[in-house]
Amino acid sequence: MLVVQKYGGTSVETTEKILKIAEKIAQDYDRGDKIVVVVSAMGKTTNYLINLLDQVNPNANSREYDMIASTGEQISIALMASALSRYGKKSVSLTGFQAGIDTDSTYSRAALKRVYRGKLMSLIDDGIIPVVAGFQGISPSGDITTLGRGGSDTTAVAVAYGIGADLCEIYTDVDGVYAADPRYVDKPKKIDKISYDEMIEMAAHGAKVLHLRSVELARRYHVKLVVKHAHMKSEGTIIEEVGRLEEPLVRSLTVDEGIVKIVIEDVPDIPGIAAKTFKQLSDRHVSLDMIVQSMHRDGKNDIAFTVSKEEFKDALEAVNHVKEEIKAGNIHSDDTMAKISIVGVNIIGSSEIVYNMFDAIASIGVNIDMISTSNSRISCVIKREKLREVAKVVSKRFGLEE
Ligand code: ADP
Ligand code: ASP
Ligand code: MG
């Protein structure tokens, strides 16, 4: 089998852990697998690097952000390749550029353009295990780019697609995908198999176990994905095309603490206002989540939307840029909110599920600030301080615990 194995930050946080993983990779190789390894930065290295930059200049430009943030992975690849050679395997470390990973020039959240097959395949054909730096690529102007926090998963899937691998294994610090984030719910059920669509909804709404774009890529290019524990034997969770059920079903719960709400007050209720506003956001490549326009009096509305914390600065700049033109009133933001979502099949088609979501939240006296839905999800924005309590009551209501 031709396999891409990706190891996340906590799995390679010490040199002991790197050696253990190298030993396991060497055994897989001896069993006959052809392997490309993708690694993240060790432990919390990326946070440390970004913090250094912040100390020097909180408004440093994003090219420099990528330049420093990408270095964590460069440490890991050299260590992993060296650990592999200690176990008698030929191995070569490669930066994103050296591996042939091309992106656009959107620093800090670059989009992948292509992964060249040639370099990696010729190494594999020579019996060498390539160890590729996750999270980074190279822009058309030859600058280092990064793919957004958690982006090593996306590197792994892109490499798997690029070389036509049979499987992309994501090794992490949990033994698969659970029905709820184990940090918020005591004993969530483990999921053995899940569809790309459901996993996309989960990743898009807070389940950081997989980077959203990695699952989107895997679905588009039919890359088979497995999430497994890096240091314990387990079957893990398979993410693949699963025949759609008709029966409404709540399979999982996700939470997202990384959101900020932006409210534009008193915008004129005339055609073109939303388009002008969101054009500015689009020009800055800001990803949006919930958008709510409230009915108002006197021909004016409020428009509220949420963005991720990382994109807040760009979003606020976009809104301030267009404020005069659209004759808006005040603009304010709120970073005390969080989002809780349930994900499954045909959710919005079942008013019983919708009722139970709202009733569970109401049963502990928590107010819902914003709601958004899709066919397979309901999300509610609530006060962040209530998130744990709400996660517990919602997971109980839908039987998501053991
Ligand atoms: P890595 O460093 O390996 O990339 P991440 O921290 O990005 O690991 O992702 C793994 C973490 O995702 C787990 O430790 C877990 O806390 C979190 N997580 C959130 N939601 C889920 C879920 N539904 N199932 C499993 N893990 C989840
Ligand atoms: N090291 C990067 C981060 O911390 C990428 C990753 O771990 O996937 O976001
Ligand atoms: Mg991750």
Side-chain angles (χ1 to χ4, degrees), residues 6-11 40 150 153 170-174 176-183 199 202 206-210 252-254:
K6 178 258 170 178
Y7 294 90
T10 39
S11 313
S40 294
D153 300 330
I170 306 289
Y171 287 95
T172 182
D173 61 348
V174 280
V177 178
Y178 281 86
D181 189 331
R183 286 171 299 189
M199 195 62 233
M202 288 178 72
K208 299 236 160 65
V209 61
L210 284 173
S252 63
L253 170 166
T254 66

Side-chain angles (χ1 to χ4, degrees), residues 150-163:
S152 297
D153 300 330
T154 298
T155 303
V157 173
V159 167
Y161 169 62
I163 62 171

Side-chain angles (χ1 to χ4, degrees), residues 4-8 36-40 77 130-135 152-153 155-156 159:
V4 174
Q5 297 189 354
K6 178 258 170 178
Y7 294 90
V36 175
V37 179
V38 173
V39 280
S40 294
I77 52 173
V131 181
V132 178
F135 181 51
S152 297
D153 300 330
T155 303
V159 167

Side-chain angles (χ1 to χ4, degrees), residues 114-118 120-121 156-165 223:
R114 71 146 106 185
V115 175
Y116 289 92
R117 189 170 194 275
L120 289 169
M121 286 317 289
V157 173
V159 167
Y161 169 62
I163 62 171
V223 175

